[in-house]
């Protein structure tokens, strides 16, 4: 059954080219929102908490602070409304899933820039 699923995913699901990113990177994700018969583009800028899955089922979670409230959003990579992804900063973290980032506030919530390291 698994080869059949893989065949259908490769054949019928449109693949989009996005830059490589991982946990700790700061991204801006542009996606389309439909309101009635109008569509508009909205963006979500935040830090990648995790990247999960492979192929057509790959998802990534982004967290941003909106005032004092943390907002997280999960984006499937093959979502049709996803227009583009920009990598604003590459972050240096030692884990693939940085759930501890949820508890950090203020200066402790800063992630070091990966370009300053060798």
């Amino acid at each position: 059954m698994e080869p059949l699923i893989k065949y259908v995913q490769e054949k019928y699901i449109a693949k989009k080219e996005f830059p490589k990113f991982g946990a700790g990177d700061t991204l801006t994700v542009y996606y389309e929102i439909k309101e009635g018969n109008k569509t508009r583009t909205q963006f979500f800028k935040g830090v990648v908490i995790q990247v999960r899955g492979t192929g057509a089922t790959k998802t990534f979670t982004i967290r941003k602070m909106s005032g004092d409230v943390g907002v997280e959003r999960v984006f499937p990579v093959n979502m049709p409304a996803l227009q583009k992804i920009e990598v604003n900063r590459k972050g240096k973290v030692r884990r693939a899933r940085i759930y501890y980032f949820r508890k950090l506030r203020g200066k402790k919530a800063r992630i070091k820039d990966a370009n300053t390291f060798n």
Side-chain angles (χ1 to χ4, degrees), residues 93-111:
V93 293
R94 297 172 68 177
R95 303 193 181 280
R97 299 191 175 149
I98 53 173
Y99 296 134
Y100 65 87
F101 192 68
R102 294 171 175 159
K103 297 177 189 165
L104 303 180
R105 299 282 180 263
K107 287 187 177 181
K108 290 182 180 182
R110 287 186 294 185
I111 294 178

Side-chain angles (χ1 to χ4, degrees), residues 60-77:
F60 57 98
T61 305
I62 296 184
R63 179 179 177 83
K64 75 173 183 178
M65 292 302 291
S66 181
D68 290 338
V69 180
V71 179
E72 289 186 12
R73 177 143 186 188
V74 179
F75 290 98
V77 172

Side-chain angles (χ1 to χ4, degrees), residues 2 8 18 30 35 41 56 66 77-78 102 105:
E2 189 173 312
V8 170
F18 293 121
Y30 294 89
E35 296 172 334
T41 301
S66 181
V77 172
N78 66 341
R102 294 171 175 159
R105 299 282 180 263

